[in-house]
Amino acid sequence: MEWHPVLVRALVDNLKVIFQEGRYADKVLERSFKNHKQWGKRDRQFMAGTTYEMVRWWRRLMALDGQEWVPDNYFIRWAAFEKWKNEKDALGFLIEKIPESKIGHFEMKTESSLTLAEELSFPDWFTEKIQTQYGAEARPLLESLNTAAPVSMRVN
């Protein structure tokens, strides 16, 4: 699926508000949907899914980047995130405008050099507490926290 530049720019604007102003992602998305009533179901799914995914994996992305957080680099970080997920084709129009030297460093970093907290995108204090309490079972537990809950149905 090809994403339009308007959606990508709106996504980047949402990320700026979330990370620079410290706003809640759900409230930022709600405002974005109110401001763009012309977006269809697929556009809203893209926006919500990608925004939550970026917020969820931001720590890992920053660790792979290895640089200080710079608000002006959202396009580069998002392009790198998509590249990391092997979806370069979906973002071709954006990646073409960014020199490979800007996003190439994501491939040079190895995931094996990340700590468990960085790899799974959790705060250090939380990871340390889980490791202390659960020992060898910490990794599977933390990985399970990153998976979507199964859908269940209850009949009254």
Side-chain angles (χ1 to χ4, degrees), residues 124-141:
D124 289 328
W125 67 267
F126 181 74
T127 307
E128 289 169 11
K129 190 169 190 168
I130 295 295
Q131 285 178 317
T132 302
Q133 290 181 355
Y134 294 96
E137 295 296 316
R139 183 185 247 320
L141 176 62

Side-chain angles (χ1 to χ4, degrees), residues 40-100:
K41 179 182 176 183
R42 293 177 79 188
D43 298 336
R44 289 171 184 257
Q45 285 176 337
F46 163 76
M47 202 52 121
T50 308
T51 299
Y52 286 129
E53 192 172 9
M54 285 291 295
V55 170
R56 172 76 199 98
W57 293 104
W58 194 255
R59 171 113 196 258
R60 181 179 183 155
L61 181 60
M62 297 301 291
L64 287 171
D65 185 359
Q67 295 181 4
E68 285 289 320
W69 177 71
V70 181
D72 297 334
N73 288 341
Y74 280 98
F75 271 114
I76 294 169
R77 291 190 193 286
W78 195 67
F81 181 73
E82 290 298 320
K83 188 173 182 180
W84 170 63
K85 288 174 40 188
N86 297 322
E87 294 179 6
K88 185 174 180 177
D89 294 336
L91 213 56
F93 71 91
L94 179 59
I95 290 177
E96 288 171 7
K97 296 178 183 178
I98 300 172
E100 185 64 30

Side-chain angles (χ1 to χ4, degrees), residues 152-156:
S152 60
M153 186 168 66
R154 187 178 100 191
V155 179
N156 288 338

